[in-house]
Amino acid sequence: MAEVIIVSDAQAAGELVADEIARLISVKPDAVLGLATGSTPVPVYRALTSRLDGIDISGVRGFALDEYVGLDASHPESYRTVIAREVIEPLGLNPDNVHVPRGELVDMEHAGVDFEAKIAEAGGVDIQLLGIGTDGHIGFNEQGSSMASRTRIKALSPQTRYDNSRFFGSLEHVPTHAITQGLGTILEARHLVLLAFGFGKSVAVAAAVEGPVSAMTPASVIQLHPHVTVIVDDEAASRLQLADYYRAAYAGKLPWQGL
Ligand code: GLP
C-alpha cells in the first residue's frame, strides 16, 4: 500500500520531499526528476533551492508531466514557462536537461511519441512528483483515462478548466486541450510522490488512496505502483478512513521506510 504521511502544512511536506530529492541527487548526480506544475509542488521547489548549495546539479535531468496545447511557449502560463520560472531558474538546472511536452500546434502527432522516447533515453524517471485535481486527475489524465495510456493529447474537463481559470484571468482564456504523460507512463517512474493540501482535495485523495482503482479516479492508478508516497496536510487527509492508522504507522519512523 502507499505510504501516507500526514503533515501539518504544505511547507512541512515541501521540506520532506526536498530532503529526499537532495539525497537522491547526492547518490545519483544525473538523477531524473519528474516535475509537476500547479500550486501544490511549489513548496518542494522552494525548499529544494536551499538544499542544493555545494551540490553539483549540472547532470540532473527533468521531465514535466504535461503542457497546454495551443499556447505559445512564451505565454506566462505555458508549463514550459512555469517550469522555467519555478524550477529551472531557482534551482539552477541546465535548461537543456529539462523537457516539457511540446504543445505548439505544429507536428503535434509526433509530440507524444517523441516525449516518451526522451524519457526512455534518460533511463526513466527516478522520482515523480504529482499533484491531484479536485476530480482526481493526475497530469492532465482526466476521468476515464486508460490506466495504460501513454503521452497523448487530452481534452480538458469543464472542472479542470474552471479550476485552472485562476491562472488565466477568465475561463474563456483557458486552453481546451493539453498533452500529458499517460497513466501508464507515470506508473513507470521508480517512485511516485503525490502531494495534496486543503479540504478541496480531500474527496480526491480519499478516492485515490482508498477507493477502488477506477478510471473515474485516474489518481487511483497509484495503488498499482510498488513505491508510492502520499503526503497530505490534515485537511486533505480529513476523509481518509485509515488516517489514524497512517498516523500510527509513521509515528517515530523515517517517512521513507515504508510500511
Ligand atoms: C493541473 C495540473 C496537475 C495538477 C492540478 C492541480 O491540472 N495539470 O498536474 O496536479 O492542476 O493543481 P494545483 O496543484 O494547483 O491544485
Side-chain angles (χ1 to χ4, degrees), residues 117-183:
K118 280 193 185 131
I119 297 176
E121 206 178 302
V125 170
D126 290 305
I127 182 165
Q128 176 65 59
L129 299 178
L130 296 168
I132 185 169
T134 53
D135 57 2
H137 73 259
I138 51 176
F140 274 126
N141 292 282
E142 299 286 22
Q143 289 177 305
S145 290
S146 161
M147 299 274 162
S149 48
R150 312 301 307 187
T151 305
R152 72 223 183 281
I153 294 170
K154 288 291 288 181
L156 300 182
S157 73
Q159 179 69 49
T160 299
R161 293 189 68 236
Y162 172 79
D163 286 347
N164 288 1
S165 62
R166 68 192 193 279
F167 297 115
F168 289 88
S170 78
L171 188 56
E172 65 190 298
H173 292 123
V174 184
T176 56
H177 290 73
I179 177 167
T180 180
Q181 288 190 35
L183 297 174

Side-chain angles (χ1 to χ4, degrees), residues 37-40 65-66 79 131-132 137 139-140 160 164 166 201:
T37 42
S39 47
T40 302
L65 274 175
D66 46 12
Y79 283 171
I132 185 169
H137 73 259
F140 274 126
T160 299
N164 288 1
R166 68 192 193 279
K201 299 291 174 74

Side-chain angles (χ1 to χ4, degrees), residues 11-256:
Q11 195 187 331
E15 308 277 347
L16 274 182
V17 182
D19 282 345
E20 174 60 8
I21 295 175
R23 186 202 62 75
L24 171 69
I25 295 172
S26 71
V27 297
K28 185 177 179 189
D30 61 348
V32 181
L33 309 180
L35 305 168
T37 42
S39 47
T40 302
V42 170
V44 175
Y45 304 136
R46 297 250 159 88
L48 191 54
T49 309
S50 64
R51 281 165 176 73
L52 295 178
D53 283 351
I55 299 181
D56 178 11
I57 54 160
S58 59
V60 172
R61 293 159 297 165
F63 288 90
L65 274 175
D66 46 12
E67 175 61 292
Y68 292 108
V69 167
L71 273 194
D72 194 89
S74 64
H75 188 287
E77 294 307 329
S78 81
Y79 283 171
R80 182 173 298 278
T81 306
V82 171
I83 289 283
R85 190 171 64 223
E86 304 280 356
V87 187
I88 296 175
E89 288 159 18
L91 266 52
L93 296 178
N94 179 348
D96 295 338
N97 289 347
V98 180
H99 306 281
V100 180
R102 283 189 284 112
E104 294 90 351
L105 295 169
V106 186
D107 203 18
M108 285 251 56
E109 62 273 30
H110 301 299
V113 171
D114 290 352
F115 194 69
E116 294 270 342
K118 280 193 185 131
I119 297 176
E121 206 178 302
V125 170
D126 290 305
I127 182 165
Q128 176 65 59
L129 299 178
L130 296 168
I132 185 169
T134 53
D135 57 2
H137 73 259
I138 51 176
F140 274 126
N141 292 282
E142 299 286 22
Q143 289 177 305
S145 290
S146 161
M147 299 274 162
S149 48
R150 312 301 307 187
T151 305
R152 72 223 183 281
I153 294 170
K154 288 291 288 181
L156 300 182
S157 73
Q159 179 69 49
T160 299
R161 293 189 68 236
Y162 172 79
D163 286 347
N164 288 1
S165 62
R166 68 192 193 279
F167 297 115
F168 289 88
S170 78
L171 188 56
E172 65 190 298
H173 292 123
V174 184
T176 56
H177 290 73
I179 177 167
T180 180
Q181 288 190 35
L183 297 174
T185 317
I186 291 168
L187 275 185
E188 287 173 3
R190 288 181 270 282
H191 183 189
L192 304 182
V193 177
L194 187 146
L195 302 163
F197 311 119
F199 280 121
K201 299 291 174 74
S202 60
V203 171
V205 166
V209 175
E210 296 178 341
V213 175
S214 158
M216 285 306 284
T217 305
S220 65
V221 78
I222 65 172
Q223 295 178 39
L224 302 175
H225 193 284
H227 190 190
V228 183
T229 307
V230 175
I231 308 181
V232 287
D233 64 5
D234 291 310
E235 294 183 357
S238 58
R239 289 175 203 261
L240 287 169
Q241 291 181 45
L242 301 181
D244 289 345
Y245 173 68
Y246 306 134
R247 286 192 172 93
Y250 290 103
K253 278 182 71 178
L254 285 174
W256 307 97

